[in-house]
Amino acid sequence: MQVRSIGSDYNTQNNRNIAFGIIKKNTIDKVLKVGEDGIKDKFLCIVSAPSGTGKDSIINKFNEKYDYFARIVTCTTRKPRPGEVNGVNYNFLTQDEFQKGVENGDFLEYCNVFGDRFYGTRKKDVETALATGKNAILVIDVDGAMQVKKNRPDALMMFFTPPSMKELASRLINRGTETMDAIAERLGKASYELGFKNKYDIILQNDDLAESVNELGQIFKLER
Ligand code: ADP
Ligand code: 5GP
């Protein structure tokens, strides 16, 4: 089995190497457990990665193939990009609405991700996703993920890494959704975010989209 060089600084005693990354021992068995009624319990999965790594691409393709996760719609105070739909991509809130939610204790976590823009996960939106009967997936930045890890230690923590910073830059440029300033901001934050990867249960290097999707299928025991 081919093992990439990621995670060489990772404590290997409790890990299992997978083809494109590392998975912490027993973490998958824990979330794939079957309840006393013989039905698999639904679990919460947190995903982080530097912007441009391929989180959305992987999760969308994985879900097209397996229909496995309900995506938790988070909240932001940033303006919608062309094509983004309120309630689908994000719940787009004003600063006031966001602030009120914070005061009411509505959020499981929230962060000031880039400059003056707030992002946060409402507790009720986690429940909405789990109520679909699927596992729930939450795509958030590393600071938010660390807050959730504290509040929900049962959550499975998954981190995607890009093959290199150069490749990350070219993915952001090719995506064409950000200005050069915004790309520079995201690249500037990437090394900070990569410093958190060892706090996650699974680290998957996204070299090839189809391979990443297959890898996840194997991790969640959907493929033999
Ligand atoms: P994120 O959600 O992490 O910000 P995206 O899913 O939007 O990242 O992907 C960023 C860009 O990189 C998109 O243009 C996407 O098509 C492309 N991409 C995703 N995965 C790969 C890959 N394995 N190889 C090359 N390009 C990729
Ligand atoms: P974007 O503005 O590109 O959609 O997202 C920017 C960053 O915000 C991404 O890293 C994304 O994962 C993160 N993000 C999105 N929603 C949330 C959230 O609810 N909480 C936190 N902490 N981060 C979020």
Side-chain angles (χ1 to χ4, degrees), residues 9-10 13 16 21 25 40 50 53 56 58 67-68 72-73 81 140 151 163 167 172 174 195 206 217:
D9 54 339
Y10 204 50
Q13 265 180 345
R16 180 161 65 84
K25 210 173 156 190
K40 255 187 209 157
T53 300
D56 284 344
I58 295 173
D67 195 21
Y68 193 67
I72 297 167
V73 181
R81 297 188 188 120
I140 53 175
N151 299 333
E167 172 63 17
L172 280 168
N174 291 341
N206 177 29

Side-chain angles (χ1 to χ4, degrees), residues 49 51 55 74-75 78 81 90 109 111 113-114 119-121 139-141 144 178 186 193:
S51 180
K55 296 180 289 288
T74 63
C75 300
R78 80 154 166 75
R81 297 188 188 120
Y90 280 104
E109 64 75 35
C111 283
V113 176
F114 294 114
Y119 293 82
T121 313
V139 182
I140 53 175
D141 87 314
E178 262 83 28
R186 279 162 162 73
E193 293 176 304

Side-chain angles (χ1 to χ4, degrees), residues 25-118:
K25 210 173 156 190
N26 297 334
T27 48
I28 274 292
D29 296 336
K30 196 176 69 186
V31 297
L32 295 186
K33 68 181 181 298
V34 175
E36 279 172 17
D37 51 5
I39 298 170
K40 255 187 209 157
D41 292 339
K42 299 300 158 200
F43 66 90
L44 171 62
C45 181
I46 315 295
V47 174
S48 306
S51 180
T53 300
K55 296 180 289 288
D56 284 344
S57 309
I58 295 173
I59 295 163
N60 291 343
K61 281 256 176 273
F62 179 74
N63 258 346
E64 270 170 34
K65 194 166 172 192
Y66 300 106
D67 195 21
Y68 193 67
F69 285 118
R71 180 105 179 220
I72 297 167
V73 181
T74 63
C75 300
T76 182
T77 61
R78 80 154 166 75
K79 296 271 168 291
R81 297 188 188 120
E84 283 186 330
V85 177
N86 189 28
V88 176
N89 303 89
Y90 280 104
N91 298 304
F92 292 99
L93 304 185
T94 62
Q95 294 277 357
D96 267 7
E97 287 168 334
F98 200 100
Q99 194 52 46
K100 283 207 181 88
V102 171
E103 284 161 17
N104 287 342
D106 292 347
F107 287 96
L108 178 63
E109 64 75 35
Y110 70 94
C111 283
N112 187 342
V113 176
F114 294 114
D116 59 352
R117 280 150 285 162
F118 285 86

Side-chain angles (χ1 to χ4, degrees), residues 169-193:
S170 91
R171 285 184 192 174
L172 280 168
I173 292 164
N174 291 341
R175 189 171 69 181
T177 51
E178 262 83 28
T179 60
M180 285 316 277
D181 280 355
I183 289 175
E185 191 182 40
R186 279 162 162 73
L187 288 174
K189 203 181 167 200
S191 37
Y192 167 76
E193 293 176 304

Side-chain angles (χ1 to χ4, degrees), residues 152-167:
R152 297 285 299 253
D154 56 320
L156 181 74
M157 311 285 296
M158 192 152 66
F159 195 94
F160 298 147
T161 58
S164 65
M165 291 299 276
K166 193 166 167 239
E167 172 63 17

